[in-house]
Amino acid sequence: MTVAPPRPLLKRLPPGVWVALFWSVVILLRSLQRPGELRHLLEYNGNLEDAPLLVTAVVTTLGALLLFRVPLAAVAVALGGVVFSYGMWVRQTPYVLFMISDGLVGYITAVRERRTSVLAALLPVGVVTGYTTWQLLFGYPVNISKPLALVSTVVIAWLIGNTIHQSRAHAETLRLQATQQAVTAERLRIAREVHDIVAHTIGIIAVQAGVGSRVMDTQPDQTRKALGAIEATSRETLAGLRRILGALRHTDPQAAPLEPAPGLADLDQLVAKTKDAGVRVDVRRRGKPRSLPAEVDLAAFRIIQEAVTNVVRHSGTKDCSVTVDHRQDELVIEVVDLGCGGPPASSGYGIVGMRERVSLLHGQFSAGIRPEGGFRVAASLPVQTEVAE
């Protein structure tokens, strides 16, 4: 079982808590520098460090607390600060808080659905429209360029957030399509390999059947051995087909090679090829080796092959270890390297293919960076006891 690493310290607490701590430290430091700091924070005497600072602290703290759970409320809090601070002598504060609301609108548009983003944008537009209408009704002079400029900042924030949202959605669509294509390609490869297994098995059955038919009258014992071999081979093949063919949904029009599929017996050849590529593979075998179902043997070899190939391409190390553990009801494979590289590039589908193979056999798979360095690939493939025996 893979244990998830603990979350970073900065992500354990909500952003609103960190914002509140920041402003608490700021106010505490100013209290040490200026006597009566708390009294000054309630004064509207035109100093940016007095009431405007307190309003900004309250708005940013509440906005950060509400943004992820109630995003529209976060925008409403920022606009409430705009309305509250408009009567202060410091005229910059309302515009600063309005820019904060613009930032909230842009963020909500980037990460939320369209309906929520439109409502978030309508809130500041409604406040500007309502204030301008109030000025006109009561005869106050209105410079129409100011409300238009404020509305334009909301529109720009919404457009930027919408562009980010569309880019994220497009990237997610491409990722899903690429993953689906990788799964499809892997299933086609598995289908070809199943064809190899079936062709190889049917060839053995045909040979044994031919031998049995020729010696049926003269050598009954040899005939019984041939029939026993046919029965054992047929049962093993049927067991593999039940586990694999039920999950395959596509066919490959290309003809597959007729040679038998590889297995763990071919590890020595893989080690030799990898050594020629400049990476030494240390193979460790545990447990009592035994005959494996063809699909398990093939999947185990392909997983090791792909993991070792990733070591050669991405790890930057010259050594890796492969552990093959034959347990009572499962085959456990582990490939570990001590390289400095991370997981394979996102354009590759090796890990997706390995996970698909293990999933088709109802096993467990994990792959990731080790805490002590390097990369680890582990797979557990269930093995039917009666077939193994």
Side-chain angles (χ1 to χ4, degrees):
M1 182 178 63
T2 303
V3 180
R7 298 179 64 188
L9 179 61
L10 293 177
K11 294 183 178 181
R12 296 180 188 176
L13 295 178
V17 176
W18 292 106
V19 175
L21 291 175
F22 168 78
W23 286 116
S24 298
V25 172
V26 170
I27 295 176
L28 177 61
L29 293 177
R30 295 205 56 81
S31 300
L32 298 177
Q33 297 175 357
R34 184 173 64 167
E37 174 66 16
L38 298 180
R39 176 177 56 82
H40 286 292
L41 291 177
L42 301 177
E43 295 178 350
Y44 302 161
N45 59 2
N47 189 350
L48 284 172
E49 299 178 357
D50 293 341
L53 178 65
L54 179 62
V55 173
T56 304
V58 172
V59 167
T60 53
T61 301
L62 292 178
L65 287 172
L66 298 173
L67 179 59
F68 299 100
R69 295 186 177 181
V70 194
L72 296 180
V75 179
V77 168
L79 295 175
V82 172
V83 175
F84 180 80
S85 62
Y86 202 81
M88 298 180 182
W89 294 348
V90 181
R91 291 300 182 183
Q92 298 90 337
T93 304
Y95 297 104
V96 171
L97 296 179
F98 195 87
M99 292 300 104
I100 292 177
S101 69
D102 286 345
L104 296 176
V105 170
Y107 177 82
I108 293 170
T109 306
V111 301
R112 295 280 182 165
E113 63 275 5
R114 178 63 59 88
R115 179 176 178 272
T116 303
S117 66
V118 172
L119 291 177
L122 289 177
L123 287 177
V125 173
V127 170
V128 174
T129 304
Y131 180 71
T132 304
T133 304
W134 178 80
Q135 286 183 312
L136 292 174
L137 291 176
F138 286 89
Y140 289 96
V142 176
N143 184 2
I144 198 64
S145 61
K146 288 185 177 180
L148 289 179
L150 293 175
V151 170
S152 66
T153 60
V154 179
V155 174
I156 292 173
W158 189 90
L159 290 176
I160 293 175
N162 186 60
T163 301
I164 297 175
H165 181 83
Q166 292 179 345
S167 300
R168 288 161 59 95
H170 180 66
E172 180 65 16
T173 301
L174 292 179
R175 187 190 67 81
L176 292 176
Q177 291 178 352
T179 302
Q180 185 61 37
Q181 291 174 359
V183 171
T184 302
E186 184 62 26
R187 291 192 175 197
L188 290 176
R189 285 193 291 269
I190 295 174
R192 288 195 295 267
E193 291 169 350
V194 169
H195 177 274
D196 297 343
I197 296 173
V198 173
H200 178 64
T201 304
I202 295 301
I204 294 176
I205 292 175
V207 171
Q208 295 291 345
V211 172
S213 64
R214 286 194 298 268
V215 300
M216 182 181 301
D217 298 327
T218 58
Q219 300 180 22
D221 294 339
Q222 190 67 25
T223 302
R224 282 192 292 271
K225 290 182 180 179
L227 293 176
I230 291 173
E231 181 184 5
T233 305
S234 301
R235 289 183 181 277
E236 182 179 347
T237 305
L238 287 175
L241 291 177
R242 289 193 187 100
R243 285 191 292 269
I244 294 182
L245 294 182
L248 297 175
R249 295 293 183 267
H250 303 283
T251 58
D252 183 14
Q254 299 179 355
L258 298 179
E259 64 269 18
L264 293 179
D266 301 300
L267 273 183
D268 294 336
Q269 298 180 9
L270 177 63
V271 170
K273 293 179 181 179
T274 308
K275 185 177 181 181
D276 294 338
V279 176
R280 186 179 66 88
V281 180
D282 180 20
V283 179
R284 305 169 185 174
R285 293 179 172 85
R286 298 176 181 174
K288 182 180 179 181
R290 61 184 185 271
S291 177
L292 297 171
E295 71 281 0
V296 175
D297 197 19
L298 173 62
F301 178 81
R302 292 303 189 198
I303 292 170
I304 295 174
Q305 184 182 46
E306 182 63 31
V308 171
T309 301
N310 288 337
V311 173
V312 175
R313 292 180 179 176
H314 306 288
S315 69
T317 184
K318 300 297 182 182
D319 297 275
C320 75
S321 64
V322 175
T323 303
V324 180
D325 188 2
H326 293 268
R327 299 181 182 178
Q328 182 177 2
D329 297 323
E330 62 181 355
L331 176 70
V332 179
I333 301 167
E334 184 182 58
V335 181
V336 177
D337 69 81
L338 298 177
C340 57
S346 58
S347 59
Y349 307 118
I351 291 182
V352 175
M354 288 188 283
R355 181 174 285 108
E356 181 69 7
R357 284 182 180 273
V358 175
S359 176
L360 289 176
L361 295 174
H362 308 289
Q364 296 181 353
F365 177 82
S366 64
I369 300 175
R370 305 166 67 226
E372 60 270 25
F375 200 81
R376 175 180 178 268
V377 174
S380 174
L381 304 175
V383 179
Q384 293 184 3
T385 306
E386 63 275 12
V387 174
E389 292 177 352

